[in-house]
Amino acid sequence: MPGKLQEWPAWPEFVQEKRFQSEDPDYLACKKDIIAEFGEEALRASWIQVCKDLESVTSEISSKRSDMIPVFDIQHILNEGFSADEKAELKRVGCFVIRDVVPEAEARNHYQNLRQYVDKNRSRIDGWPHESPSMLLLYNSPTQIAIRTHPNHLRLQRKMNELWHDESGEASAEPLLYSDGVRDRPPKQAFLGLGPHIDAGSLCRWADPTYRKSYGSIFAGKPRSHDAFDLNIRKSADQYLFPGIAHSTVFRSFQGWTALTRAAAGEGAIMLYPNVSTAIAYVLLRPFFTPPSGEADILDATKWKFDADSSFFPGTFKPQSQLLSRNSHPHLRLESCLVHIPTLKPGDTIWWHTDTCHAVDSEHNGAENASVVYIAACPTTDANKVYVKSQLESFLAGRPPPDYASNTKLDESTLEGYTGHETLSIEAKMALGYGL
């Protein structure tokens, strides 16, 4: 059974030292604002409760490991939807596999087409890491467009967006499509660039008044009341408050990978922390407390001191995703609880809530390339409509998507084999913003 890493990679650790404290006044300012609004007593009550709850959370994850991640078949979900029990479990763990979203033979064919497309245009396509590019700065290849607009994907994303709720009437579950990249990682390629992290911004979770309001019950001493699927406030949060290439402008209800090849433990696949609400509460509360000096007391939340005066936000750097480490976030027990996903075959998908901690396996010991298309589920919100309209305008003008414009200036429409949107269905074009 796949599970935790055999050996912890050399991912960075974030410790309470002067060199990690920011001189940027925004850090301490937002900490002071939260303390002024909610008070030390409420923050301390939440801290004690969350650390207590993490005892059972981490015990379950370390025992079940990859079996924590539910697995569904696409036809079951499209025909019957998620049952009440399934919804409750998905909301608890925040991640799941959907198999056969793209039929396997079709996915394999798309992968071969991608390889040919890249080979024909190799000299013009950039990627990361620079020395042996595998994360390709390519957003609108025929393979990506075909999978992104696949009818099963659009129907599935509608079902996933419905897991969120918004009583304002200002958002809907109708999917909008976000153009993201593609990865084709060869065997034996080591990669330390994506250790444990949470996307959708970093400091903005504390600094943006709307964003932090979506976590209000956590700061108010009632962490168990936090609803991680409430879109009423979250849809207006500014996760791009501090611009950076790691941040997406759109709100993604779920991030996702669609496998073009086998994806498995130890073969460069994604790893997930299968819990949403308790884990994100811990991350948000962590900057307000300083650990005890004795190693033996580290997991005793009552021994941590309230810290109102330092600017230390562990793993929080404005342009980057929220980073986590074993030393800075010990109660998460990352070494035991960051687990491999179940093995995927081509056409299968893995999805995780926007607040879920995840990482990419530093090793790829498989026999073939590990290739995935990055496809997220995005509901229709005002902010998402603005971005997708801008994204379409960029596409029609031969420019990269706005979120990735600083990475590459490549006009993909000039690549050999480019096909664009000409043959797409009306439903696909609407999801791409043609009706906005």
Side-chain angles (χ1 to χ4, degrees):
M1 179 179 67
K4 67 180 184 179
L5 288 163
Q6 303 263 335
E7 184 176 336
W8 193 253
W11 287 323
E13 296 286 346
F14 309 104
V15 293
Q16 204 118 355
E17 296 177 358
K18 180 105 178 136
R19 64 192 178 97
F20 282 113
Q21 294 196 32
S22 175
E23 295 181 3
D24 183 334
D26 288 341
Y27 286 78
L28 188 54
C30 64
K31 177 186 272 194
K32 294 289 188 183
D33 287 345
I34 292 170
I35 294 172
E37 180 176 358
F38 297 99
E40 177 181 346
E41 184 177 347
L43 290 164
R44 184 176 292 281
S46 277
W47 174 253
I48 298 298
Q49 183 67 69
V50 167
C51 291
K52 177 66 175 175
D53 290 345
L54 279 174
E55 293 177 13
S56 58
V57 167
T58 57
S59 176
E60 181 184 17
I61 296 173
S62 62
S63 173
K64 295 180 179 179
R65 299 187 294 181
S66 298
D67 287 342
M68 287 288 298
I69 302 174
V71 179
F72 302 95
D73 177 76
I74 184 63
Q75 293 305 320
H76 166 73
I77 301 305
L78 296 186
N79 294 333
E80 302 177 32
F82 298 106
S83 69
D85 288 344
E86 288 168 345
K87 288 179 180 178
E89 182 63 4
L90 295 185
K91 291 184 176 185
R92 186 174 78 93
V93 301
C95 52
F96 49 94
V97 168
I98 306 287
R99 298 207 183 277
D100 299 309
V101 175
V102 179
E104 182 175 358
E106 185 178 338
R108 289 186 181 279
N109 186 57
H110 282 311
Y111 177 59
Q112 292 306 315
N113 290 342
L114 175 69
R115 291 290 298 268
Q116 293 169 13
Y117 186 78
V118 172
D119 286 345
K120 289 177 183 177
N121 298 283
R122 176 70 66 180
S123 64
R124 301 185 59 199
I125 297 172
D126 293 323
W128 180 55
H130 296 297
E131 60 275 11
S132 56
S134 58
M135 298 178 69
L136 304 178
L137 304 184
L138 196 63
Y139 306 98
N140 289 298
S141 69
T143 290
Q144 288 164 285
I145 291 174
I147 293 180
R148 191 179 292 147
T149 62
H150 195 286
N152 285 352
H153 250 301
L154 295 174
R155 293 176 63 193
L156 173 60
Q157 289 172 34
R158 190 176 295 112
K159 296 285 188 184
M160 294 195 299
N161 288 336
E162 288 173 353
L163 293 171
W164 291 69
H165 64 94
D166 174 37
E167 289 71 39
S168 71
E170 298 169 355
S172 82
E174 286 302 308
L176 292 174
L177 292 173
Y178 180 67
S179 297
D180 206 336
V182 62
R183 191 194 71 167
D184 192 22
R185 181 178 175 184
K188 308 306 178 186
Q189 184 190 64
F191 180 67
L192 290 168
L194 289 172
H197 67 283
I198 302 171
D199 290 314
S202 51
L203 185 64
C204 57
R205 279 187 166 87
W206 294 272
D208 174 47
T210 302
Y211 212 157
R212 71 170 175 250
K213 187 177 180 182
S214 70
Y215 300 117
S217 61
I218 294 171
F219 296 127
K222 299 176 288 185
R224 289 180 172 177
S225 297
H226 174 60
D227 182 355
F229 290 82
D230 186 348
L231 195 56
N232 285 280
I233 299 170
R234 182 65 179 265
K235 66 178 182 290
S236 300
D238 187 357
Q239 58 193 38
Y240 208 72
L241 178 64
F242 305 113
I245 193 60
H247 307 323
S248 67
T249 305
V250 299
F251 168 75
R252 299 175 288 187
S253 60
F254 292 92
Q255 294 170 246
W257 280 13
T258 300
L260 296 179
T261 61
R262 168 185 163 95
E267 298 180 16
I270 195 149
M271 305 181 68
L272 298 168
Y273 192 99
N275 177 275
V276 183
S277 296
T278 308
I280 192 63
Y282 178 78
V283 172
L284 291 165
L285 293 165
R286 174 62 183 84
F288 297 92
F289 295 90
T290 301
S293 56
E295 186 69 26
D297 295 327
I298 285 294
L299 295 181
D300 185 348
T302 65
K303 300 289 179 65
W304 288 58
K305 295 180 180 179
F306 188 73
D307 176 10
D309 300 314
S310 84
S311 61
F312 181 59
F313 280 65
T316 306
F317 307 94
K318 281 183 175 179
Q320 300 184 35
S321 299
Q322 176 60 46
L323 309 180
L324 294 85
S325 73
R326 296 174 301 172
N327 288 339
S328 59
H329 298 84
H331 297 84
L332 291 179
R333 292 177 61 198
L334 289 172
E335 199 160 355
S336 298
C337 298
L338 190 66
V339 302
H340 291 287
I341 59 171
T343 299
L344 305 183
K345 66 180 185 305
D348 290 346
T349 59
I350 177 71
W351 303 90
W352 61 96
H353 183 284
T354 186
D355 282 348
T356 298
C357 171
H358 56 288
V360 174
D361 200 332
S362 64
E363 296 185 344
H364 176 10
N365 296 316
E368 62 178 332
N369 280 23
S371 186
V372 297
V373 178
Y374 304 126
I375 297 178
C378 302
T380 297
T381 67
D382 287 344
N384 284 1
K385 287 191 289 187
V386 169
Y387 179 83
V388 169
K389 184 177 180 180
S390 172
Q391 176 183 264
L392 179 59
E393 291 170 351
S394 293
F395 169 84
L396 295 173
R399 300 191 302 270
D403 275 356
Y404 303 99
S406 64
N407 266 7
T408 179
K409 303 302 179 186
L410 175 64
D411 179 352
E412 293 189 42
S413 68
T414 64
L415 296 179
E416 183 180 348
Y418 176 84
T419 56
H421 293 168
E422 294 301 320
T423 62
L424 298 182
S425 68
I426 293 176
E427 181 186 30
K429 286 189 173 182
M430 293 298 288
L432 286 164
Y434 281 89
L436 296 177

